[in-house]
Structure formats: C-alpha cells, structure tokens
Amino acid sequence: MTKVVIFDMDGVIVDTEPLYRKLNGELYKELGADITLEEQYSFVGKGAEIIWTTIKNKCQLKQDVNELVELSRKKKYEHLSSNEVVIKPIDGISRLLSSLKDAGFRIVMASSSPRSNIEVILNKVKLINYFEYIVSGQDVKRGKPNPDIFLKAAEKVNADASDCTVVEDSANGTIGAKEAGMKCVGFRNLNSGNQDLSKADIIIDKFDDEGITKIIEIASK
C-alpha cells in the first residue's frame, strides 16, 4: 500500500505569501485594479485563472485572463530567479521531509504556482530532491479549491486518494484536499492571513517534534 504526503509550496515549504502580496500589489496598481488586503488573503491557494477572472470581472480590466495570468507569472519568475533574492525554507520543513522519506512515504508537490516558479524556489532552498513529482497549476484545468491538482498528484504515484495526506496552509487548499477524499493537515501560517482551516483533519502551528509526529501519525492511517 502506497502512503503519500502531498505538499502545497507557498506558505508551507517557503514563506512566500508576503512577497507575493507585495508583487501582486505592484501589478494591481499598474493595471488600475483596486484589490483590498482581505481580497488578497481570499486568493491564497487558488488557481491563477480563478483569481484573475475574479479581478478582471470586478475591475473591468481590458486584458483577457490569459494575458493577466502571464503578466503575473512573468513578474514573479523574474523576481524569484534573481540572484539577489534570498528565499528561506519554513522552520522545520527540511526535517519533516527527511522524516517522511526515512519512514517510507512518497512525497509529491501540488502547488497552484507555475512549474517554473516552483522549480526556482525548490532549487534555491535545496529541497527539490525530496519530491518525486511536481504538479503545478498549469497541469490541471481547474485550480484550487477544486480537487483536480490533488487527484493528479495521487495519479502520478498510482495511489488511492484515501492513502494520501495533504499539507496545506489555505482554506482553498484544505477544501480541495477534502473534496479529493484525502486526509488534510492544516498548517497555520499567520503570514498567509487568518485562513479558515476548519475542514482539515488536524491543525498544527509548527513543524517541530510534536508537529512532525502528528503528521506522520495521520499519514500512516
């Protein structure tokens, strides 16, 4: 029986949400889009097409959704790939990944971010080798909170949804994980905003000894 742990990236592996809010805020200003901080928090974890469809409709932007998605991806990629930008992993995540690997779990990435950004970040923090597969928002038609990205991740390792556990920091991600029929660990990252993680099976605040033990316990069931 294959036991799989599926990770979101932003807000779980690395604390990029504050950086993304800054970059998004600059782009919204360039486009003349008035987006509140509360609205930005509601976007956390969602697929890019869903986010930009919402913004386009609200702010009546002239660009089509695909163009807006590409503008956002390009801006983030150029910033993240700069040698001057230092990205640090979230405390304890390296030990969690190592512990899961030692315990025989298969590890997959399922992030709404584009693949280019995922690879840049995971290479910068030297964690890319822990992941057997990377599933990005570009690999599915419907982004989170739909379950598609998690089901695709399970498919990559020929695992049943019931044998998968998702680690997520967003309301949208936890909804998608449970819709996929998977167990879900909610990681409370305050930089991701006051996310409603109530649909998660358990909620942890840190990847410390206690948190790692809880994740391995639920993922083993």
Side-chain angles (χ1 to χ4, degrees):
M1 185 183 297
T2 301
K3 292 292 186 180
V4 183
V5 182
I6 301 170
F7 282 86
D8 180 31
M9 182 178 69
D10 300 304
V12 175
I13 304 295
V14 288
D15 208 4
T16 46
E17 294 300 345
L19 172 61
Y20 287 169
R21 280 196 295 278
K22 177 179 178 293
L23 295 174
N24 287 335
E26 292 172 357
L27 184 54
Y28 298 152
K29 189 173 181 179
E30 291 171 20
L31 294 168
D34 184 14
I35 303 297
T36 67
L37 183 58
E38 185 178 353
E39 286 173 314
Q40 286 212 52
Y41 282 134
S42 76
F43 295 154
V44 174
K46 280 188 177 178
E49 287 77 10
I50 295 173
I51 294 171
W52 283 104
T53 298
T54 301
I55 295 171
K56 176 179 171 62
N57 291 339
K58 180 198 172 187
C59 302
Q60 299 182 324
L61 301 180
K62 65 179 185 296
Q63 297 90 343
D64 66 31
V65 171
N66 289 335
E67 185 180 351
L68 292 166
V69 168
E70 279 308 310
L71 279 171
S72 176
R73 284 176 179 163
K74 183 179 179 183
K75 186 177 185 69
K76 288 188 178 76
Y77 179 77
E78 287 177 350
H79 187 85
L80 292 167
S81 58
S82 168
N83 291 331
E84 297 174 5
V85 175
V86 177
I87 300 171
K88 295 181 179 179
I90 285 175
D91 287 346
I93 191 65
S94 178
R95 198 155 64 87
L96 169 58
L97 292 168
S98 179
S99 298
L100 288 169
K101 191 167 187 179
D102 289 345
F105 290 95
R106 303 185 74 176
I107 305 173
V108 184
M109 168 65 64
S111 170
S112 296
S113 290
R115 179 174 295 272
S116 57
N117 292 7
I118 295 169
E119 291 178 352
V120 164
I121 288 173
L122 291 181
N123 277 309
K124 276 199 170 187
V125 296
K126 296 180 171 55
L127 296 177
I128 197 166
N129 290 335
Y130 282 107
F131 297 93
E132 284 191 50
Y133 292 98
I134 294 171
V135 183
S136 76
Q138 295 164 295
D139 297 323
V140 292
K141 289 184 178 179
R142 303 186 306 165
K144 304 174 192 176
N146 296 293
D148 305 34
I149 196 167
F150 300 118
L151 294 172
K152 175 72 76 172
E155 181 186 313
K156 288 287 188 183
V157 288
N158 296 315
D160 292 333
S162 59
D163 290 321
C164 297
T165 301
V166 176
V167 185
E168 266 283 356
D169 69 312
S170 72
N172 293 308
T174 57
I175 291 168
K178 297 310 293 181
E179 285 288 322
M182 300 178 179
K183 291 166 284 188
C184 184
V185 175
F187 174 57
R188 193 171 298 288
N189 183 339
L190 296 180
N191 282 326
S192 299
N194 186 23
Q195 297 287 317
D196 179 4
L197 303 177
S198 59
K199 291 192 180 297
D201 296 278
I202 61 169
I203 298 174
I204 63 169
D205 298 305
K206 299 175 184 175
F207 296 129
D208 55 6
D209 288 343
E210 182 181 358
I212 291 172
T213 298
K214 286 181 177 179
I215 291 171
I216 289 177
E217 282 179 354
I218 191 171
S220 298
K221 292 179 180 177

